Amino acid sequence: MTPDPGALLDLAVDVAHEAGRLVRDRRDAVDRITVSATKSTPTDVVTESDTAAEALIRRRLLSARPGDGLLGEEGATVTGGSGVAWVVDPIDGTVNYLYDIPQYAVSIAAQVDGRTVAGVVHNPASGQTWAATRGRGARLDGRLVRESGCDRLDRALVATGFGYDSARRAAQADVLRAVLPRVRDVRRLGAASLDLCGVATGWFDAYYERGLAPWDLAAGALVAEEAGVLVEGLGGAAPGPEIVIAAGPALFPALHDLLASLGASRDG
Ligand code: LIP
């Protein structure tokens, strides 16, 4: 039986809020969060909160829906048989969390046969929650949101982000150097899921980034799409680790063509 996206979203929101309470309480309890491990580079950090939150999310989701699959940033991988798979980033924006910068999110997406049908992005620091099911719009704290409608690159406020690898960062800086004089301004806030929700909400006119993982992207991309944002790679490709470009339809072509001309989907 095809699961109801609304029921999947209700579960995801409930679990994201519970994980958000865990993450926030741990952050508030200490002056300094300790790094428990690093991944791709010494600056790609994991905290015990990341691990604890992913364990809570896995436990809650799979006890509610035992046959589902799950893919988590911190290593939770479950092959399910129900056709529903969860894509989880327990703390997106971990460096912000480490530094107590209130720009991090619990991101949970439900996919049916590989397509995201429900997603929640919850910022435990601000309490804000973006939620969407496919075809039913995107909401911030229950209020419908819509992309800005910006149609001029030189008036666009553009969010972006950078990887952890220094060679990739150098290439991304070269792209940024060319983009910066062509747009209104740039913002780098450190959490892809919140950047995508920011475009959905009209806080940014566009976002691009190379190197995102599925868990950074899944829920935020659905929120953005349901707010009228195009979320794609280059040349009509699906968004993914090569590059994610997110903008309303009036702005997307100009940003896409600029990034394509700069080779933004390659490392130099
Ligand atoms: C983060 C992304 C962000 C990127 C950061 C980092 P993490 O994910 O959400 O867009 O610019 O470098 O990768 O590592 O905090 O889950």
Side-chain angles (χ1 to χ4, degrees):
M1 181 178 72
T2 307
D4 169 25
L8 296 174
L9 182 65
D10 290 345
L11 175 59
V13 169
D14 186 43
V15 173
H17 285 168
E18 184 176 351
R21 287 190 292 274
L22 177 151
V23 164
R24 178 71 191 266
D25 291 348
R26 283 167 167 259
R27 178 63 267 190
D28 291 346
V30 296
D31 289 337
R32 283 250 176 267
I33 288 282
T34 54
V35 172
S36 53
T38 60
K39 296 184 286 190
S40 61
T41 71
T43 55
D44 184 1
V45 297
V46 183
T47 73
E48 288 176 356
S49 301
D50 292 89
T51 308
E54 186 165 289
L56 181 155
I57 293 166
R58 171 181 171 155
R59 182 173 67 254
R60 281 287 318 276
L61 291 176
L62 299 188
S63 61
R65 294 183 51 87
D68 290 359
L70 188 142
L71 171 66
E73 176 175 17
E74 307 313 340
T77 304
V78 175
T79 303
S82 69
V84 174
W86 299 93
V87 183
V88 174
D89 193 338
I91 304 176
D92 183 28
T94 299
V95 173
N96 287 344
Y97 180 73
L98 187 66
Y99 281 75
D100 204 8
I101 299 170
Q103 187 73 8
Y104 51 89
V106 178
S107 177
I108 300 174
Q111 298 187 333
V112 174
D113 300 330
R115 189 163 187 252
T116 304
V117 296
V120 58
V121 176
H122 171 59
N123 181 338
S126 69
Q128 291 165 313
T129 302
W130 285 265
T133 50
R134 193 165 293 279
R136 298 180 193 168
R139 284 170 171 76
L140 166 58
D141 295 336
R143 174 178 53 88
L144 277 172
V145 293
R146 199 75 193 159
E147 57 92 10
S148 69
C150 176
D151 59 2
R152 286 182 55 171
L153 195 59
D154 62 353
R155 297 291 185 275
L157 186 61
V158 179
T160 191
F162 311 115
Y164 291 109
D165 173 76
S166 58
R168 171 162 291 180
R169 293 166 68 82
Q172 290 173 318
D174 290 341
V175 171
L176 180 64
R177 185 182 182 283
V179 167
L180 192 55
R182 300 284 301 274
V183 299
R184 176 192 296 271
D185 205 347
V186 166
R187 297 288 185 270
R188 193 286 197 256
L189 298 185
S193 58
L194 291 175
D195 291 335
L196 287 161
C197 290
V199 180
T201 311
W203 295 350
F204 313 125
D205 299 304
Y207 162 71
Y208 73 91
E209 184 164 356
R210 171 170 167 72
L212 293 189
W215 41 77
D216 297 319
L217 179 61
L222 178 66
V223 169
E225 289 169 344
E226 286 302 311
V229 179
L230 298 179
V231 185
E232 300 180 7
L234 287 184
E242 276 204 345
I243 196 165
V244 173
I245 305 170
L251 180 63
F252 187 92
L255 179 60
H256 169 279
D257 293 351
L258 173 60
L259 292 170
S261 71
L262 298 170
S265 64
R266 301 189 303 272
D267 289 338

